[in-house]
Amino acid sequence: MLGRTAGGLFWMFRYLERSENTARLLDTGFRIALTGSESAEAEWESIVTTAGVRELYLEKYDTFEQGHVINFLLRDRDNPSSVMSVIEAARSNARMVRTALSSEVWEATNETWMTMKEELRRPVSVKNLADVLATVRQQSSLVRGALHGTMLRNEIFDFARIGTFVERADNTARILDVKYYVLLPSAAFVGSSMDNAQWETILRSVSAFRSFRWLNEAETTPRAIAAFLILDKRMPRSLAFCYSKIAGNLRYLAQKHVGELPCLDLALQTHEKLENCEIDSIFDEGLHEFLEGSIANTARLAGQIQEDFRFYG
């Protein structure tokens, strides 16, 4: 496969995953704001920080007012990670690799672009925010369903899935890190009803609340939630699950690729670490330090994948 095609697939599905992740982040901020917290602006600031666009945001706004944050993350063309920006980028990459995609995947991607272009034509208010965020998630699922239902399980599928899980692993680590390091207003709140409510909101933001309750009905604690989102291989947004899929898809590619793949070695190292890790050792090391390292590892892996297959974002 040409590097140009591999790169188009990798970034197409990174961008689609990012659109959904941004919607989930905004949903988190909105739910926490509904709890009536006195530090609402700090919470919206944490959402912008998690999305990795704090500096860009501050070039336009002096305060983290709810309406500004919502529209900056959803529809601002000056923000390359806004939902509208990444969906347009995903469609551009899909056009570039259209001959590698089934007609269903292309049509779903194009439909997503048209739908969101209409949804985000005007500023989004708090009144219609929930509906807009639901539409973003639904459209992302539409493309993902078309991929799973119509594509051959070959290197095209591998690059699409690697892009998805690289982006997802980065997002899960960022959500957890911001909750632990930024979102909680004060150490005095640790273990309080407010702290527990915020952790439950994080679960909801990654569609994991019900799954967590099935497995941990009697233990809704920060430690149990962190273990679920980092180490549980049954949870499709956990770090362990993401890295198992990244390593698996890279292994398929390695079978067709002549020579060594340093990116596979990196993925296997992280996967093995997560396989053999326990939540107590993570908290002993420091959850923030662990997650910070995970974010850095994922960025390094993404760069190495691009280098090994000679494509660039």
Side-chain angles (χ1 to χ4, degrees):
M1 179 186 291
L2 293 174
R4 181 172 177 268
T5 302
L9 291 162
F10 177 81
W11 279 103
M12 172 188 170
F13 281 89
R14 279 201 74 170
Y15 286 134
L16 284 168
E17 181 70 19
R18 191 174 301 177
S19 72
E20 182 175 350
N21 292 340
T22 299
R24 292 177 183 279
L25 276 175
L26 280 168
D27 187 55
T28 302
F30 185 56
R31 286 177 182 273
I32 290 173
L34 291 176
T35 66
S37 169
E38 295 179 0
S39 57
E41 185 166 319
E43 289 158 4
W44 285 110
E45 180 181 358
S46 77
I47 300 303
V48 175
T49 302
T50 307
V53 292
R54 191 175 188 277
E55 291 183 6
L56 274 176
Y57 179 89
L58 290 173
E59 289 177 7
K60 297 194 73 169
Y61 303 107
D62 296 325
T63 62
F64 292 89
E65 191 269 323
Q66 178 176 262
H68 291 160
V69 172
I70 289 170
N71 284 284
F72 185 76
L73 292 181
L74 282 179
R75 60 189 301 275
D76 198 317
R77 301 302 176 95
D78 293 331
N79 173 13
S81 290
S82 72
V83 167
M84 198 65 245
S85 294
V86 297
I87 285 177
E88 288 182 342
R91 180 177 181 267
S92 294
N93 278 278
R95 289 182 65 185
M96 183 175 69
V97 299
R98 188 169 176 177
T99 56
L101 300 173
S102 67
S103 59
E104 289 85 354
V105 173
W106 161 251
E107 288 165 5
T109 304
N110 197 48
E111 179 185 326
T112 294
W113 173 72
M114 291 188 294
T115 299
M116 295 317 306
K117 190 175 180 182
E118 177 61 26
E119 286 279 346
L120 300 176
R121 189 161 52 90
R122 293 177 293 274
V124 178
S125 66
V126 173
K127 183 178 179 180
N128 66 339
L129 177 62
D131 290 340
V132 171
L133 297 181
T135 300
V136 176
R137 294 193 298 270
Q138 289 164 3
Q139 292 299 136
S140 176
S141 297
L142 181 68
V143 181
R144 191 160 53 243
L147 177 80
H148 278 279
T150 66
M151 294 291 292
L152 289 172
R153 268 42 175 183
N154 56 12
E155 62 263 40
I156 294 172
F157 184 84
D158 290 328
F159 278 110
R161 298 305 284 160
I162 290 167
T164 295
F165 286 112
V166 163
E167 189 70 30
R168 188 176 294 179
D170 178 75
N171 181 73
T172 296
R174 286 178 182 275
I175 286 179
L176 273 171
D177 191 40
V178 167
K179 167 62 188 83
Y180 189 75
Y181 197 67
V182 178
L183 189 57
L184 194 63
S186 165
F189 287 98
V190 175
S192 67
S193 59
M194 179 180 181
D195 180 47
N196 291 336
Q198 289 183 342
W199 277 97
E200 288 184 11
T201 298
I202 298 303
L203 281 174
R204 293 183 187 279
S205 76
V206 293
S207 295
F209 181 75
R210 184 166 293 182
S211 298
F212 177 83
R213 294 300 296 270
W214 282 337
L215 298 172
N216 303 272
E217 187 173 353
E219 189 185 9
T220 308
T221 65
R223 189 172 295 249
I225 292 170
F228 186 59
L229 295 183
I230 295 171
L231 302 176
D232 198 312
K233 291 178 288 186
R234 297 165 294 181
M235 166 56 193
R237 292 184 176 273
S238 75
L239 297 184
F241 185 94
C242 290
Y243 267 91
S244 71
K245 295 301 181 183
I246 293 169
N249 287 117
L250 284 174
R251 201 178 277 117
Y252 285 127
L253 290 172
Q255 294 171 2
K256 297 177 177 291
H257 190 78
V258 178
E260 296 183 359
L261 284 180
C263 61
L264 176 57
D265 293 335
L266 283 175
L268 288 172
Q269 287 170 17
T270 302
H271 181 233
E272 184 178 356
K273 180 180 179 181
L274 291 166
E275 284 269 302
N276 299 321
C277 201
E278 295 183 356
I279 196 62
D280 288 342
S281 65
I282 291 175
F283 272 80
D284 289 343
E285 172 190 341
L287 182 59
H288 170 64
E289 289 73 18
F290 176 88
L291 294 169
E292 203 172 44
S294 177
I295 293 167
N297 285 340
T298 302
R300 185 163 60 250
L301 174 62
Q304 191 63 57
I305 290 169
Q306 294 179 182
E307 177 63 27
D308 288 353
F309 293 99
R310 299 295 188 274
F311 66 83
Y312 301 92

